Amino acid sequence: MKPLDWKTLSPADISEVIQLAWEDRTTFETIHERTGCPEAMVIAIMRAELKPRSFALWRKRVTGRTTKHRALRNPDMKFSDHRIADHRRANC
């Protein structure tokens, strides 16, 4: 599968990526499964679409956060990031 160029995404798709990225418990893997945007593309979208200070705060918050990467999560975590992401999609 050819990687997407985020600039070809619709405004609604970009909004969805941003919404999912802001949610701390939605992993980058879930964002990739739902939108086709890998982590690097999510970061590029956030950098381009957010104000510089907002991006810096978001980036600082998600860097190294165990809830943003499935591989870093404790296996005892009992929530599903898919369920959380579904809950957040009310405006779609």
Side-chain angles (χ1 to χ4, degrees), residues 4 12 19 44 50 79 87:
L4 293 172
Q19 183 178 9
L50 299 179
F79 65 88
H87 171 73

Side-chain angles (χ1 to χ4, degrees), residues 28-88:
F28 286 114
E29 293 87 358
T30 299
I31 296 170
H32 186 232
E33 291 166 3
R34 289 178 171 271
T35 65
C37 298
E39 181 178 352
M41 189 181 299
V42 172
I43 293 168
I45 290 169
M46 297 295 276
R47 184 184 311 274
E49 296 292 321
L50 299 179
K51 294 177 183 177
R53 180 74 178 139
S54 296
F55 173 77
L57 290 171
W58 173 80
R59 191 72 179 119
K60 182 178 179 182
R61 196 175 83 233
V62 300
T63 300
R65 183 179 283 276
T66 58
T67 57
K68 286 305 271 187
H69 300 277
R70 285 183 190 153
L72 298 177
R73 285 186 171 180
N74 182 331
D76 294 333
M77 289 182 141
K78 300 295 183 197
F79 65 88
S80 165
D81 62 322
H82 291 282
R83 191 180 73 230
I84 291 168
D86 287 339
H87 171 73
R88 298 290 181 198

